[in-house]
Amino acid sequence: MGVDELAEELYALPPGEFIAARDRAAAAAPRGERGAIRALRRPSLAAWAVNLLVREDRSRTELLLRLGAELRTAHQQPAGGGRLRELIGQQRQLVAALARRAGQLTADAGRPVSDAVLREVEDTVHAALADPDAARDMARGRLTRAFPPPSGFGVLPEATVLQLRPPSAAPAAREPGSGRRTAGGGAGADRAGTGADDADGPDGPDERERRASVTDITERARAQERADRERRQRLRKARGEAEELARAARGSAEEATAAERELAAARRRLREAREQVHGLTEELRRAKRSLSAAERAERAARGPAQRARQAAERDRKRAEAARAEADRAEADRLAPDPARPPGRRGRRRPGGPS
């Protein structure tokens, strides 16, 4: 890529990105081109806005050249007051439309500019109307700073556009198919062409074409403004919908975060419950082992206990039999003997009471 092509790309960038992009390009360029690349100057905001305006539709500068020539011719005609007022009205419409469009282009590029910068854009367009060389410089789309407002018609004292190629000499001859000379021929050339312009008449083909061009570009600018307003409305609507979706997404994210926290708590409770189940399962196994041991001990003690109960039952029965025998014996002792005389007691048992 040559220096000229690189400049086309660099002067389309916002001023804040120009220096870094230029230095990167210079570092990557061949040695012989680095100096020319580093010499490229960063444009001001107003110059950048004008460059955007020119790059969007370069036919606008052709209209500026034609309208500027008409304005200079009308200024030089003694009886051109009515025509001049009409051209000045068209000039105001065109300048206002171009300045508004420049503001929209900078906003679309992500770098809206202030009203003061837009006034500099208007001054530059006015200067291009006053001076064809300024219009041609502006048409290249590489301005580095805005033109000062013109004090009248004529060549500006200082060029403010980056010159990468030598400017072509302005021809002094008449333009083909035209009744006037180019601006390079000076005011005298303009005056010399006045008669040819007048011969064409105020409503001649050239005049009708120029008026149609002014109307066309004004209408296009207005249509572009309407399209931009509609686009901004759609953009605001889309942004509102995006914000609404963003709020819904934030709500969903908060709900998801709460659900994740609840899930984490549930998992923690599940882990604790599993640990408890594991502990209870171990206790159950120990309790089952204890139960088995107790059952074995019970079975082992069951036989001796049964035999002991049986022995105790036998002993109880023998004791009851002995007690009954003793009771019978006592009853027999106390019962009276019918063969013994009354009043005599039986023989006292040895050891008994006397």
Side-chain angles (χ1 to χ4, degrees), residues 44-81:
S44 66
L45 284 175
W48 171 62
V50 173
N51 293 339
L52 289 180
L53 187 66
V54 170
R55 288 167 184 269
E56 185 194 34
D57 186 358
R58 293 186 181 272
S59 65
R60 289 176 179 142
T61 53
E62 298 177 5
L63 179 61
L64 287 175
L65 286 170
R66 295 171 61 183
L67 181 59
E70 293 288 339
L71 282 166
R72 288 190 298 275
T73 300
H75 269 285
Q76 294 162 4
Q77 291 176 350

Side-chain angles (χ1 to χ4, degrees), residues 69 72-73 76 170-175 178-197:
R72 288 190 298 275
T73 300
Q76 294 162 4
R174 293 179 181 272
E175 295 177 352
S178 169
R180 60 182 180 276
R181 296 179 183 273
T182 62
D190 287 335
R191 284 191 297 270
T194 302
D197 289 338

Side-chain angles (χ1 to χ4, degrees), residues 5 18 40 73 310:
E5 293 80 3
F18 183 90
L40 298 176
T73 300
Q310 291 174 355

Side-chain angles (χ1 to χ4, degrees), residues 253-273:
E254 292 173 357
E255 293 177 0
T257 301
E260 288 175 357
R261 287 196 297 266
E262 183 62 27
L263 175 61
R267 285 175 175 172
R268 185 175 59 255
R269 291 191 297 269
L270 176 61
R271 185 173 58 254
E272 293 173 354

Side-chain angles (χ1 to χ4, degrees), residues 235-298:
L235 180 60
R236 284 194 296 269
K237 181 179 178 181
R239 284 177 176 170
E241 294 175 353
E243 291 176 358
E244 183 65 26
L245 291 174
R247 285 192 292 270
R250 286 193 296 270
S252 299
E254 292 173 357
E255 293 177 0
T257 301
E260 288 175 357
R261 287 196 297 266
E262 183 62 27
L263 175 61
R267 285 175 175 172
R268 185 175 59 255
R269 291 191 297 269
L270 176 61
R271 185 173 58 254
E272 293 173 354
R274 284 175 176 171
E275 292 174 354
Q276 292 178 357
V277 168
H278 179 73
L280 293 173
T281 301
E282 186 63 28
E283 291 181 5
L284 179 60
R285 282 196 293 268
R286 289 196 296 269
K288 286 182 177 180
R289 288 195 295 269
S290 299
L291 177 60
S292 298
E295 288 176 347
R296 289 194 299 272
E298 189 271 338

